[in-house]
Amino acid sequence: MKMISTRQLITLQTRVILSLLLRETRATFGTSSFGYIWAIVTPAASVGLLVLIFDLGGRIAPFGESLALFFATGILTLQLFNELSGKLMTALNANKALLTYPIIKDMDTLIARILLVSITYMLIMVVFFSVLIWLDLASLPARIETVIAAYFATIVIGSGIGMTNALITSFWDTWKQIEKIITRPLFFISGIFYVPSQLPPEAISVLKWNPILHLVEWYRQGYYPNYSSLILDKSYPVFLGVGFLLIGVAGERLFRKVRN
Amino acid sequence: MLSLDRVCKSYTLKGVQKVIFHEVTWSFPTDRNVAIMGKNGAGKSTLMRLLSGAELPDRGHVYRDQKVSWPLGFSGGFNGSMTGLENIRFVARIYGQDTDRVTEYVENFSELGRSLRLPIKTYSSGMKARLAFGLSMAIDFEVYLIDEITAVGDENFKKKSNRVFKNKLSNSQIIMVSHSAKTIKDYCDCGILISDSSINFFGTCEELLEAYKEQARG
């Protein structure tokens, strides 16, 4: 019996994932290239609006000169996480029809969505920070490599939790609603509009369990030349993310036969 | 070669377990076109999905070392909000085909004309079936799995479909589910009958059809 070599399998999977990526882009953002521009403009504009509201309310930046920069570092990180964990959660059920083409496997649809969200958010961040720099509301990031590392750590944990969500949802649909309730407070407990290190120690001892808070701190430490965090432990979100990824991947494999 | 090795498959719905296959071991001949018959619910479509790889057996293995099609005859898998052309390109891409060649082929074959530029959700079921059939013919598979193919379109289109399909048969093998004696005699030269969670092979269509009638009576 003929066997397929590993290289052929990798070529095949890459081909399938790229096709899915193209398809998802079109399905989500419409067929015109203008549709994809909206996908970048909308989140950027919503952050801009939030900044404007706080600015009109007479709020000053908790750190640094620019309120907009401070918010953006927090909220874009949180949104990237939310988008990944949410989009992956529905990936298995939404793409059931696709699995009629046996060449497409569940894991391919998950990977395609991770790529789509990650690339979109990378563009959003580049556009948003470029506009801030152009408006003189921000400078270039102090340590770009740290910012990039924080971005990838966010992708790891977002994908890990997203895959785990997808797995739970494929057995128990109500999880979608419950997950929404659980993740809603993240907006308030992830240090988006305050500097976590300035909170009382009792608050810190609780909030430090939130991995998204660490990601936000990580991102800021990269962006600002002098942002020092009492809380940041880079290994925590990374280990948690890898842990969830393993649960997601192993679960997908173990329950493959029962799920369908 | 397509073969099943101790394959078990059952479904559980609302607490009721229905065994479709129990410990089925069987290798399909590689040089013959095989018909699949059985009562409703016996597991014909399940067998197709197992062979294509769209579904996994509960236990056992399915081995396939040829390029096997998806189970044809269905028109699912199309994304309703995407246009016909986009769907064609997508399927061509995942199967590693030249998208321009496949698009051209389907355009010519399906006779859908400018409708291909409209979203699939605006299509009638006949249009969808034409698109699905054209698309599957545009891609070269070594084994075609056909689940109750229903003739679509007017006389001309039926003739054309038949011609293209017969032409395919000269280089490819088919495995076909059908209830129609005429269709089976037209395309197949042997067959299997699914009953009581197992499969029985018959070397000629006549024997197969005889056994099928027998089963229906009994």
Side-chain angles (χ1 to χ4, degrees), chain A residues 2 15 23 26 31 102 257, chain B residues 52 57 65 79 86 90 94:
Chain A
K2 280 182 286 180
R15 201 172 73 203
R23 178 193 171 103
R26 297 209 167 186
T31 44
K257 292 179 178 179
Chain B
S52 75
D65 64 359
N79 182 322
E86 284 167 348
F90 172 71
I94 59 172

Side-chain angles (χ1 to χ4, degrees), chain B residues 39 193 202 207-218:
Chain B
K39 286 181 193 162
L193 182 65
F202 297 92
E207 284 169 6
L208 171 72
L209 291 165
E210 192 54 43
Y212 179 65
K213 265 187 225 152
E214 191 75 25
Q215 186 200 48
R217 244 181 269 132

Side-chain angles (χ1 to χ4, degrees), chain A residues 184-198:
Chain A
R184 186 52 56 82
L186 280 178
F187 184 74
F188 302 101
I189 62 170
S190 302
I192 289 167
F193 36 81
Y194 50 88
V195 178
S197 303
Q198 292 169 357

